[in-house]
Amino acid sequence: MKLSRYFIPTVREVPSEAETASHRLMIRAGMMRKLAAGVYNLLPLGLRSIRKVENIVREEMNRAGAIEALLPSMVPAELWEETGRWSLYGKELLRIKDRHGHEFCYGPTHEEVMTDMVRREVKSYKQLPLALYQIQTKFRDEIRPRFGMMRAREFMMKDAYSFHTDEKSAEEGYEKMFRAYEHVFKRSGLKFRAVEADTGNIGGASSHEFMVLADTGEDLVVSCPVCDYASNVEKAEVVIPKHHAQETQTPAPEDVATPDSRTIEEVSAFLKRPADQFIKTLVYSVNGGKEHIAALVRGDGEVNEHKLKTLLAADVLEMATPEKVKELTGAGVGFAGPRGLKLKTIGDYSVKGMANAVSGANRDGCHTININEGRDFTVAQWADIRMVRYGDACPRCEKQKLEFHRGIEVGHIFRLGTKYSKAMKANYLDSNGKEQVMVMGTYGIGIGRIAAAAIEQSHDDNGIIWPWAIAPFQVVVLPLNISKEDIVAAANRIEEEMEQEGYEVLLDDRDERAGFKFNDADLLGIPIQIIVGDKGLKNGEVELKVRKTGERVNVKLEHLKDKVKEVASLLAAL
Ligand code: ATP
Ligand code: MG
């Protein structure tokens, strides 16, 4: 491929909104351009890498026994109403009306559509298990689209869905997908880790996220350095405290004035008591205000709303409004406490057994001191609802402190149980002719996010360093002076020879200075550069540069094929 005939508009300057390396480099290397917030044109070079990612995903899905289909991106509202997600999904769901006034959404995920298709066609246990997937464009009206392909509004996803007769078969399907995901990310050249994950909007019994470890990741994950525990902080468990220090003196509770002090830090400074003697009381609205509850956590911790939401099996969990807090507790935000509170209360284990503690007094400008759990208040349920924090021990082995890393979520797999199949009546007849509900799994991969994550993990000041498997081209030929016929002729011969060897080759035939070509070649990140210059050619040599290591070697033309093969197999094995 001659660069002058191709379409790679590289740029030196990048828009200031590009905050991450992958976003900046994908624009600079002419891989993509913004059309609107979170909506991108994919240029030919970008598309080449994306197609490679897609093919790896496709091959691994096929290998795992999943079958490819393609569903529409426009989804009728009725299907989403069947599962209740039409009202629950919120503003990320782009809703559209057609000319007849029929409501649709632009699919952000396709559980409903796939379940609908399968319930119409699959009737017998003999047709199960069945796994179907598609590689298709999704739309999510993300509140903060950013980082380019990493968090776009329109993006390409591989989504797979599996249907089973029972939980055991569903678990086998999940494990097969887990292994397929490991292959996909390994083959894409990524350093990743599978972590336990919250089931969020999709719901279901259990799930894992595949995280690419990178400082710019939006997720925070914890892992144990000795055992194999790893989790998204949203899901991470904490060690249940065994006991509290026994207080010998337990005076009666007493209200004290704490004017203008609302936060734990303010009251702690005002009363000169450490944060771990406080009981933090937060009021939540459940399922859009259908119910309100109070959550308690020791003052040195934070409530983990994901864990609380899962515990309550709630579809929506939000902080109560200040007006509602006033109505339910009798005081403004910052002055709620468990003593005398007439609300269902969930206590974090860290609060159990606390004595001589401090909390809000349910009166404006007042806190209560000397509160004892059991004597002065009780809770409806004790549970682990605290956010993991630095210094916490591993909840599994309890031997070591957890490590914290930033991660980019490239894939997510869920065991759904019967959540969707029950709501949508996806039934089958078992071997006794009895009607049963299918058990499901759902499995997503962000195609563009893999490409962006690969760049995030592999780049330098000069540009992208593509992993071999997803590089848009594998070899770039750089003739340094195209006014010299012998140089052009040699470069053309090399291009031809390399193409015959099965490599994808780009030839920079532009009439530009050597430095300019070197910069662009480094920016594009093509793994092998072959430099054809005057001096070398006189000795029958070219220079081979490995983008990843920066190594340069002179190679005799007659040895070039072998040398490229050797370097290519080293790079492919990394
Ligand atoms: P996130 O927490 O990052 O928003 P999610 O949990 O909403 O992700 P899933 O619903 O599990 O994501 O979607 C499956 C995969 O699709 C994700 O693992 C990710 O790789 C990709 N993905 C999700 N949202 C986006 C987006 N806005 N832009 C690009 N890829 C995305
Ligand atoms: Mg999301």
Side-chain angles (χ1 to χ4, degrees):
M1 179 69 65
K2 304 284 190 288
L3 207 161
S4 69
R5 308 307 319 144
Y6 205 55
F7 184 58
I8 310 180
T10 56
V11 282
R12 297 272 159 255
E13 301 299 320
V14 281
S16 53
E17 72 193 48
E19 298 168 69
T20 54
S22 57
H23 191 183
R24 277 193 297 273
L25 289 171
M26 285 176 96
I27 292 172
R28 285 194 50 210
M31 297 179 68
M32 65 176 207
R33 289 291 186 266
K34 178 168 138 181
L35 183 64
V39 179
Y40 293 93
N41 292 332
L42 199 52
L43 276 51
L45 193 74
L47 184 63
R48 289 183 79 104
S49 280
I50 292 291
R51 286 277 184 257
K52 290 199 170 179
V53 174
E54 244 183 81
N55 283 337
I56 292 173
V57 171
R58 187 171 279 117
E59 280 172 22
E60 294 301 333
M61 284 298 112
N62 295 346
R63 202 144 73 113
I67 314 164
E68 188 167 8
L70 186 58
L71 307 176
S73 48
M74 285 268 288
V75 181
E78 295 83 65
L79 283 183
W80 278 66
E81 275 158 2
E82 282 190 51
T83 58
R85 285 209 292 183
W86 185 254
S87 53
L88 287 176
Y89 208 90
K91 290 192 172 165
E92 262 186 38
L93 191 66
L94 183 68
R95 294 151 214 259
I96 336 164
K97 263 193 195 142
D98 72 7
R99 65 167 80 199
H100 307 293
H102 292 156
E103 284 197 293
F104 288 81
C105 67
Y106 198 125
T109 175
H110 279 66
E111 281 77 16
E112 281 83 354
V113 187
M114 198 63 98
T115 307
D116 173 61
M117 186 170 92
V118 168
R119 74 177 165 183
R120 289 162 188 263
E121 315 301 334
V122 174
K123 302 289 175 204
S124 158
Y125 72 98
K126 289 181 193 153
Q127 294 163 281
L128 299 172
L130 176 66
L132 293 162
Y133 75 97
Q134 61 171 341
I135 296 176
Q136 184 245 22
T137 306
K138 299 279 184 271
F139 195 97
R140 295 182 180 181
D141 204 352
E142 298 275 356
I143 187 163
R144 260 195 92 191
R146 58 188 188 152
F147 305 159
M149 298 236 160
M150 205 79 94
R151 183 166 300 284
R153 294 200 295 167
E154 182 172 305
F155 59 97
M156 232 194 285
M157 197 201 283
K158 183 287 299 175
D159 45 325
Y161 307 86
S162 68
F163 299 83
H164 308 265
T165 51
D166 53 35
E167 287 289 348
K168 187 167 167 285
S169 164
E171 190 178 331
E172 284 162 13
Y174 187 85
E175 269 157 27
K176 224 186 252 179
M177 280 292 171
F178 194 110
R179 283 193 295 276
Y181 272 46
E182 288 184 318
H183 292 146
V184 166
F185 302 125
K186 230 177 255 165
R187 283 183 61 189
S188 305
L190 298 171
K191 287 191 276 301
F192 67 96
R193 173 124 207 200
V195 304
E196 293 181 14
D198 182 49
T199 49
N201 261 344
I202 307 272
S206 67
S207 97
H208 282 89
E209 286 165 342
F210 290 79
M211 292 286 184
V212 167
L213 303 179
D215 293 339
T216 45
E218 291 183 280
D219 282 278
L220 195 56
V221 299
V222 290
S223 62
C224 177
V226 288
C227 76
D228 61 4
Y229 181 73
S231 175
N232 192 313
V233 293
E234 294 176 351
K235 170 83 195 304
E237 297 157 36
V238 303
V239 179
I240 297 172
K242 300 243 171 8
H243 51 77
H244 275 277
Q246 290 297 311
E247 301 286 344
T248 47
Q249 300 210 324
T250 52
E254 188 186 328
D255 285 359
V256 294
T258 52
D260 305 325
S261 305
R262 287 164 191 274
T263 65
I264 297 282
E265 293 74 44
E266 287 163 357
V267 189
S268 160
F270 183 79
L271 294 177
K272 300 193 174 52
R273 298 234 195 168
D276 64 5
Q277 282 184 14
F278 282 72
I279 300 169
K280 212 185 267 184
T281 308
L282 297 166
V283 182
Y284 285 96
S285 143
V286 184
N287 293 339
K290 288 211 181 83
E291 192 193 357
H292 284 83
I293 61 121
L296 308 181
V297 66
R298 205 170 67 190
D300 56 343
E302 300 291 336
V303 170
N304 180 330
E305 293 180 0
H306 299 276
K307 289 202 282 193
L308 183 58
K309 190 174 165 201
T310 305
L311 180 82
L312 296 168
D315 288 319
V316 188
L317 182 78
E318 297 153 311
M319 293 291 282
T321 59
E323 298 75 43
K324 202 72 196 173
V325 171
K326 180 90 193 176
E327 179 194 323
L328 294 169
T329 69
V333 171
F335 297 105
R339 186 167 164 261
L341 189 64
K342 287 182 188 55
L343 259 185
K344 178 180 169 186
T345 303
I346 311 286
D348 180 67
Y349 289 123
S350 60
V351 172
K352 199 168 182 191
M354 280 182 84
N356 297 346
V358 185
S359 79
N362 300 319
R363 263 167 63 197
D364 281 329
C366 252
H367 277 75
T368 310
I369 59 169
N370 303 331
I371 293 190
N372 288 4
E373 184 267 311
R375 182 188 71 183
D376 301 318
F377 71 92
T378 52
V379 301
Q381 188 181 358
W382 292 109
D384 168 14
I385 54 167
R386 174 165 80 75
M387 189 57 108
V388 66
R389 61 164 180 247
Y390 291 99
D392 277 349
C394 169
R396 288 285 180 282
C397 70
E398 299 188 17
K399 286 199 184 103
Q400 282 276 346
K401 283 185 181 161
L402 289 170
E403 290 176 349
F404 285 69
H405 303 279
R406 294 234 143 247
I408 301 166
E409 179 202 317
V410 282
H412 201 168
I413 58 177
F414 297 77
R415 288 185 60 189
L416 287 176
T418 55
K419 181 175 160 134
Y420 293 84
S421 43
K422 210 170 175 180
M424 298 187 70
K425 298 195 179 59
N427 299 338
Y428 68 95
L429 295 178
D430 69 13
S431 56
N432 300 318
K434 203 170 153 234
E435 196 160 69
Q436 304 275 8
V437 183
M438 294 180 201
V439 181
M440 288 175 58
T442 177
Y443 319 90
I445 286 184
I447 301 289
R449 212 182 259 188
I450 289 185
I455 298 175
E456 217 50 61
Q457 257 186 359
S458 181
H459 67 270
D460 62 15
D461 291 345
N462 301 327
I464 302 170
I465 303 171
W466 281 111
W468 183 261
I470 61 173
F473 290 91
Q474 294 146 340
V475 175
V476 58
V477 184
L478 305 170
L480 294 190
N481 184 346
I482 68 151
S483 59
K484 300 221 163 159
E485 263 171 43
D486 53 339
I487 290 187
V488 173
N492 284 335
R493 272 199 308 277
I494 292 168
E495 179 193 21
E496 206 172 305
E497 185 183 41
M498 291 299 133
E499 277 175 352
Q500 269 165 13
E501 287 295 294
Y503 302 111
E504 293 154 294
V505 188
L506 187 67
L507 196 163
D508 190 350
D509 59 339
R510 296 173 301 176
D511 188 8
E512 295 285 357
R513 287 176 298 107
F516 184 89
K517 290 188 178 186
F518 289 149
N519 286 344
D520 265 4
D522 279 356
L523 174 62
L524 302 190
I526 297 165
I528 295 176
Q529 301 176 6
I530 298 170
I531 301 151
V532 190
D534 226 1
K535 248 193 274 163
L537 211 53
K538 289 208 171 85
N539 302 323
E541 283 179 354
V542 291
E543 206 179 359
L544 185 150
K545 178 180 159 185
V546 181
R547 173 66 180 95
K548 190 176 173 67
T549 59
E551 275 169 279
R552 287 160 171 267
V553 278
N554 290 325
V555 185
K556 288 273 181 223
L557 278 168
E558 61 269 29
H559 298 147
L560 185 60
K561 214 160 76 176
D562 292 339
K563 186 67 191 172
V564 169
K565 196 182 258 173
E566 179 196 320
V567 174
S569 64
L570 283 174
L571 290 173
L574 284 179

